Amino acid sequence: MVGRRKEKAGAVAQTTGQDLELANSNEPKEAGNHAHKRHHPMFNHNGHKVTKGIHPDGESGRKGVHPHHFLRISARSASKISMAVNVLWPFVPAAIAVRYARPEAHLWIFVLNYIAVVPTANLIGFAGQELARKLPKVFGVVVETFLGGIVEIVLFMVLLHKNIDDPADERYNNFVPVIRAAILGSILANVLLCLGCCLFAGGLRRDEQDFDAAISEVGSGLLMTAGFGLMIPAAFFTSLSGSTTVDLDADQLTDKVLTISRVTSVILLVAFLLYVWFQMRSHHGIYDAVLEKDEARDHDRHKDLTKAKLTLTECILALVIAITLVCFHAIFLVEGIEYIVEERHVSDSFIGLILIPLVEKAAENLTAVDEAWDNQINFALAHVLGATIQTALLNGPLVVIVGWGLHKAMDLNFEIFNAVILILAVIVAGNFLRDGKSNYLEGALCILIYIIIAIASFSYPNPIHGAAGTSEASPATGAGAEGGHKLRFLK
């Protein structure tokens, strides 16, 4: 009797994979932009009965929370690189303990919390990926990309909350330059560093990788639009700050730039909503076909289908734990920025443009690089360009609008140095994506450009708060309208 049960169970496990592939092969093809109704098989490749509403690829075969499985699967993570990042988890309790035990140890607090953000962000990325497997393809990618940007949103909001908005204080708007640099730095980290790593990693295993125009053209077009929108307030300020033909003092110019930044942010949010609607509703059939084709050529697909997965409840639990820890680390990290700038002479530009984006984008970058390595270049580009578009059209505008609600003078008046490198980076990335093919050389060039920008930003001086011609000019000082950005070189 036992032997018959084992044979029956083996037959189910053996045939369910064939049933799934047969069901997938018999699905009607997408016609135009109209979606078709999918009928999932009752069992997935592992022989697990598929729960209603869950995609077969994400079915775990379990329900609720099982601590042993939860810890084992989370420690294994999404790839070998992500699994290696989990060795940094001891820094998480250490960072919190040092913050409360030695509050005067500013450098140690900054360094420990900076490192601790990496494994917690990695857990967000992994839980987001596990959750995305349980959802329809396009919706899953959108959700995973959004969750990957949670760390960035948390950091932006903590920086905004800690920003001093009293014009009489000499540190007025002390964190606004860091936030602005972090917005652009996040975009640069995606379109140069992460994209470069994806193209380089994919090019190491094959001569060329082909990707679909539906991913690259829409993404690069939106990036150019977002870059143009973000630069308008800076261009307005720069053209009028030293003008002798316009009767406009520093306070009036600052107010106008702030108003333009807020209106621009609302418009960019509308553009983001249109992008999401385009991707998920009106044209999602195109993206479904592209991503399914990418899955078919995934080198590790057989391993991904058979490995153990988190339940829906465990995914939510992991996200709650990781986001809570990220909030703590973000607060402690931001508390140490002033010490790093003033005492260790690290510029606002380098912290915002390089240091913060590197740590907040770590998990997203690892996921995208692993996908490119496995020949899923369209998935990798969807994550890279999607995260970049989210920063430019959602996260950046969102912090301006929240600042508006909190009566904080958060604007989009970027330094010309930052503005120029952003536009050039978008143009470079767009040129590499134009022909629909990539190789390791293009990836290496993107990485080298990013390194050059990092070196330049490290040497870039801080603006003097309250100096004439800067958007941080204090209304209490009545700074004149002459001159551009005055700079303070750190020694």
Side-chain angles (χ1 to χ4, degrees):
M1 191 69 179
V2 176
R4 289 183 180 179
R5 286 180 181 175
K6 288 183 178 180
E7 289 177 6
K8 185 176 180 181
V12 170
Q14 185 176 2
T15 58
T16 48
Q18 298 172 357
D19 292 340
L20 180 58
E21 296 198 357
L22 182 61
N24 288 339
S25 64
N26 290 333
E27 285 180 347
K29 300 296 181 182
E30 194 74 40
N33 297 327
H34 300 284
H36 61 270
K37 187 176 181 180
R38 296 180 182 276
H39 299 278
H40 295 309
M42 293 184 62
F43 296 91
N44 68 0
H45 286 76
N46 293 329
H48 298 145
K49 186 176 181 180
V50 179
T51 306
K52 184 178 180 181
I54 299 295
H55 194 279
D57 291 357
E59 178 58 59
S60 64
R62 300 180 292 114
K63 291 183 179 180
V65 178
H66 301 77
H68 173 71
H69 290 285
F70 174 72
L71 293 175
R72 180 174 59 84
I73 296 171
S74 299
R76 184 205 63 212
S77 200
S79 63
K80 292 181 179 179
I81 302 177
S82 298
M83 184 169 61
V85 168
N86 286 328
V87 302
L88 299 177
W89 271 101
F91 285 92
V92 173
I96 297 174
V98 171
R99 163 63 177 76
Y100 289 104
R102 297 283 304 277
E104 73 284 355
H106 300 291
L107 180 61
W108 279 105
I109 292 172
F110 181 86
V111 172
L112 288 174
N113 282 280
Y114 185 85
I115 298 173
V117 170
V118 178
T120 52
N122 186 54
L123 179 58
I124 293 177
F126 175 65
Q129 188 180 54
E130 288 288 296
L131 180 61
R133 291 180 188 276
K134 305 178 186 300
L135 304 172
K137 292 289 183 295
V138 178
F139 182 55
V141 170
V142 172
V143 169
E144 185 180 354
T145 303
F146 174 76
L147 290 173
I150 287 289
V151 180
E152 181 174 274
I153 294 175
V154 169
L155 281 168
F156 285 175
M157 295 307 161
V158 172
L159 284 165
L160 185 65
H161 176 71
K162 295 289 184 179
N163 183 64
I164 296 174
D165 54 355
D166 181 8
D169 195 311
E170 64 177 7
R171 297 178 299 163
Y172 174 65
N173 271 3
N174 56 332
F175 284 127
V176 167
V178 178
I179 299 173
R180 286 197 297 246
I183 292 172
L184 298 191
S186 181
I187 297 173
L188 291 174
N190 276 315
V191 300
L192 290 179
L193 181 62
C194 186
L195 178 62
C197 290
C198 289
L199 301 184
F200 184 79
L204 290 178
R205 299 183 74 176
R206 54 200 64 85
D207 292 335
E208 282 186 339
Q209 283 186 301
D210 299 327
F211 44 84
D212 198 277
I215 303 289
S216 60
E217 288 185 7
V218 173
S220 57
L222 275 169
L223 280 180
M224 186 60 73
T225 302
F228 181 83
L230 290 173
M231 294 304 106
I232 293 297
F236 180 87
F237 176 85
T238 303
S239 63
L240 295 178
S241 60
S243 176
T244 57
T245 60
V246 179
D247 185 17
L248 203 65
D249 62 28
D251 292 346
Q252 292 174 323
L253 180 58
T254 300
D255 289 341
K256 287 183 180 296
V257 170
L258 188 58
T259 301
I260 293 172
S261 298
R262 288 168 174 173
V263 174
T264 299
S265 296
V266 173
I267 294 172
L268 291 178
L269 278 177
V270 172
F272 179 76
L273 294 176
L274 287 173
Y275 164 67
V276 173
W277 179 264
F278 178 87
Q279 193 177 32
M280 290 182 57
R281 296 294 299 176
S282 66
H283 288 68
H284 81 91
I286 300 174
Y287 289 92
D288 270 332
V290 171
L291 297 180
E292 285 178 359
K293 182 181 177 181
D294 235 32
E295 282 189 336
R297 61 184 186 183
D298 179 12
H299 288 181
D300 293 340
R301 178 162 173 75
H302 60 289
K303 295 180 181 178
D304 290 336
L305 290 173
T306 56
K307 68 183 181 183
K309 299 174 179 64
L310 295 178
T311 65
L312 180 61
T313 307
E314 289 171 343
C315 290
I316 296 173
L317 176 63
L319 288 171
V320 170
I321 293 172
I323 292 173
T324 302
L325 290 173
V326 161
C327 289
F328 277 105
H329 294 312
I331 293 171
F332 302 154
L333 186 67
V334 170
E335 287 176 350
I337 287 180
E338 256 188 316
Y339 171 82
I340 297 298
V341 172
E342 298 298 331
E343 302 297 329
R344 296 292 172 172
H345 310 309
V346 179
S347 69
D348 288 341
S349 181
F350 185 74
I351 289 177
L353 207 62
I354 305 299
L355 289 185
I356 290 178
L358 277 180
V359 71
E360 75 187 22
K361 294 294 180 183
E364 285 180 287
N365 293 356
L366 292 176
T367 299
V369 171
D370 180 61
E371 287 168 341
W373 177 258
D374 291 336
N375 204 27
Q376 290 184 288
I377 189 63
N378 287 303
F379 266 103
L381 289 180
H383 282 116
V384 172
L385 297 179
T388 310
I389 291 168
Q390 180 179 327
T391 298
L393 298 182
L394 176 63
N395 299 355
L398 184 63
V399 74
V400 174
I401 293 173
V402 172
W404 188 3
L406 297 176
H407 305 289
K408 293 179 180 287
M410 175 64 212
D411 58 28
L412 297 175
N413 184 20
F414 300 102
E415 294 281 345
I416 293 301
F417 167 74
N418 295 343
V420 169
I421 61 177
L422 172 67
I423 296 299
L424 292 177
V426 171
I427 292 173
V428 168
N431 283 333
F432 285 153
L433 297 176
R434 182 179 300 171
D435 61 353
K437 297 180 180 180
S438 66
N439 53 60
Y440 73 88
L441 177 60
E442 293 176 342
L445 293 176
C446 286
I447 297 171
L448 293 175
I449 293 172
Y450 186 80
I451 294 173
I452 294 172
I453 292 172
I455 294 171
S457 65
F458 184 78
S459 303
Y460 196 80
N462 282 332
I464 299 175
H465 294 292
T470 65
S471 63
E472 283 79 38
S474 169
T477 63
E482 288 189 12
H485 292 279
K486 289 187 177 179
L487 304 173
R488 171 169 58 84
F489 285 88
L490 299 171
K491 299 179 180 178

